[in-house]
Amino acid sequence: MSDILTIFKEKFGAPAEAVYSAAGRVNLIGEHVDYCGGKVLPAALTLKCRVAVRKNGTNFVRVAATDIPDFAALDLADLSAYKHLKWGCYQAGVADELQKAGYRLAGCDILYDCTVPFGSGLSSSAAIEVATAYALARLGDNPIDKPQLAVLCQKAENNYCGVNCGIMDQFASANGRAGHAILLDCDTLEYEYIPLDLQDCALVLSNCNKPHSLVASKYNERRAEVEEALAAVRGKFDAANLAAVTPAQLEACRADMRPVVYRRARHVVGECARVAESVRVLEAGDLAAFGKLLTASHISLRDDYEVTGAELDALAEAAWAAPGCLGSRMTGAGFGGCTVSLVRKADVEQFIQFVGARYRAAIGYDASFYVAEIADGIIDEADV
Ligand code: GLA
């Protein structure tokens, strides 16, 4: 805590008033279905974005970070000018959406300290957005509605930053609860907390550390493909969204779509069934069955949705062969980032050695590992 406060004073010349945080997330299952109206099962992590804040009496939001020299001053009277910024774009987008939604915003200084690794697929961007939204809403004395803040953050990313993401990441970052996963219906935004009793197991996150990836363009391409699938299904059936389509309906429309589009839709329909089944087996305490569903999800994302890539496949395949592993899959958008593996606690060290060695042999550089701890999404860390 003292670090972020000390650096705040150095950068802004005055002490912070409060510290808040918003979490990174791991999605347990339900991948690439949020923008199809499906249900997802993410959980918030102790890896998070902390912000130290104070009102500065101007009409500017000034943003800095503990680990990079970048700085931006965002004029609340005209937020349109910051789309090109590498540092400050998310914050400007969030401020813009909050203002458009009628929030009162006060000029302020915000220092970011993020422990969610960038590019890890654990939603460092959602954590930055949600921490920003919460800080701005609090400093302007607005009533706090966490699901609504998540929706505004998603809009910021869609409208301001050009990534056509779904609602899952921001929702998990804002609404996560310690010890629970969130079963979120991305069509209605109804949600419930599912207790995550992992018994003698832990969730191990393995980061493939792939340097550059074209996540945004590939992601937007998948979204276009599933829209194409839905249009084809609607030629024959009344479907609210792709997640509501049954396997039999999809088969009946197979000849009406390009083969690649059919495979994308087959992933979505199958993944939605796996989410429902996961909730059932988790509630029954059947972790072996849950592990198998994780693995089946990865295979579908690899073969039908084609969002894994050599690095994530190497991690998942090593995990499937590793001691004490009940199942493993990529989590998040894919093309890089992390896998999540269900591993017996007693075998975690051996698992990391085993997967780490196989990954290095296959890919040529090291993966990193974190044992996931499930936390609250937004936390009021301190009033200073
Ligand atoms: C990214 C997006 C989410 C979701 C996942 C895939 O994390 O931000 O909205 O679509 O990919 O499940």
Side-chain angles (χ1 to χ4, degrees):
M1 184 67 67
S2 66
D3 264 13
I4 192 172
L5 295 177
T6 311
I7 300 174
F8 187 96
K9 217 167 159 187
E10 279 164 21
K11 297 237 182 196
F12 294 111
E17 288 165 17
V19 180
Y20 308 121
S21 67
R25 65 95 191 90
V26 54
N27 185 24
L28 299 182
I29 197 158
E31 213 65 83
H32 284 282
V33 301
D34 63 345
Y35 51 82
C36 301
K39 290 187 183 171
V40 293
L41 195 64
L45 296 168
T46 47
L47 298 169
K48 61 189 170 183
C49 175
R50 282 197 304 161
V51 290
V53 298
R54 75 165 189 121
K55 281 196 235 181
N56 62 19
T58 74
N59 206 35
F60 283 81
V61 175
R62 304 194 299 172
V63 294
T66 52
D67 57 345
I68 49 169
D70 304 43
F71 177 88
L74 313 168
D75 185 353
L76 287 170
D78 179 12
L79 286 165
S80 63
Y82 309 111
K83 292 192 179 175
H84 65 283
L85 290 184
K86 211 166 155 245
W87 171 249
C89 169
Y90 290 126
Q91 293 92 331
V94 167
D96 195 36
E97 290 298 340
L98 259 60
Q99 284 198 148
K100 284 183 182 151
Y103 282 70
R104 275 185 318 274
L105 302 191
C108 57
D109 296 336
I110 312 182
L111 179 69
Y112 294 77
D113 184 39
C114 199
T115 54
V116 191
F118 292 111
S120 61
L122 302 176
S123 290
S124 53
S125 52
I128 291 175
E129 289 156 7
V130 172
T132 305
Y134 185 70
L136 291 176
R138 286 289 302 262
L139 291 172
D141 286 328
N142 301 274
I144 299 297
D145 175 342
K146 292 179 183 175
Q148 189 191 39
L149 289 180
V151 170
L152 294 173
C153 288
Q154 180 206 10
K155 278 195 180 173
E157 194 151 340
N158 292 168
N159 300 336
Y160 205 90
C161 308
V163 181
N164 210 5
C165 66
I167 182 63
M168 171 171 76
D169 302 347
Q170 292 80 6
F171 201 94
S173 177
N175 299 285
R177 180 182 286 181
H180 293 74
I182 310 173
L183 179 63
L184 170 67
D185 182 327
C186 300
D187 186 30
T188 61
L189 295 192
E190 280 166 21
Y191 64 103
E192 63 181 293
Y193 292 107
I194 307 290
L196 208 52
D197 177 8
L198 296 178
Q199 304 162 34
D200 62 342
C201 288
L203 292 170
V204 179
L205 303 170
S206 311
N207 186 344
C208 76
N209 290 329
K210 184 178 178 178
H212 306 287
S213 59
L214 294 166
V215 183
S217 64
K218 291 281 178 198
Y219 185 90
N220 291 346
E221 183 183 294
R222 293 297 177 282
R223 287 205 65 159
E225 287 165 343
V226 291
E227 305 257 313
E228 195 178 322
L230 180 59
V233 171
R234 283 184 172 155
K236 283 207 173 83
F237 300 100
D238 222 8
N241 52 51
L242 199 56
V245 171
T246 65
Q249 287 174 328
L250 181 63
E251 284 314 307
C253 301
R254 184 170 185 161
D256 306 327
M257 17 181 132
R258 297 188 289 139
V260 65
V261 167
Y262 166 75
R263 286 190 291 113
R264 304 297 190 241
R266 184 167 64 184
H267 164 71
V268 172
V269 171
E271 186 76 353
C272 289
R274 280 186 289 275
V275 173
E277 186 62 8
S278 293
V279 172
R280 201 185 63 73
V281 299
L282 277 174
E283 284 176 342
D286 187 350
L287 290 185
F290 181 52
K292 289 193 180 121
L293 290 161
L294 296 180
T295 295
S297 168
H298 186 91
I299 291 169
S300 175
L301 288 156
R302 181 189 68 191
D303 298 344
D304 276 354
Y305 219 66
E306 295 181 280
V307 290
T308 55
E311 297 81 3
L312 290 171
D313 287 341
L315 281 178
E317 279 156 27
W320 298 337
C325 180
L326 278 63
S328 180
R329 61 180 287 275
M330 57 152 269
T331 183
F335 305 107
C338 282
T339 56
V340 53
S341 308
L342 186 63
V343 183
R344 296 215 186 278
K345 281 181 190 152
D347 294 316
V348 165
E349 276 314 310
Q350 242 192 309
F351 172 91
I352 292 173
Q353 296 301 324
F354 182 95
V355 175
R358 283 216 179 178
Y359 184 75
R360 169 166 265 290
I363 302 295
Y365 50 82
D366 285 332
S368 331
F369 298 89
Y370 327 87
V371 177
E373 288 170 56
I374 307 304
D376 285 346
I378 291 174
I379 299 175
D380 282 13
E381 303 226 346
D383 284 320
V384 185

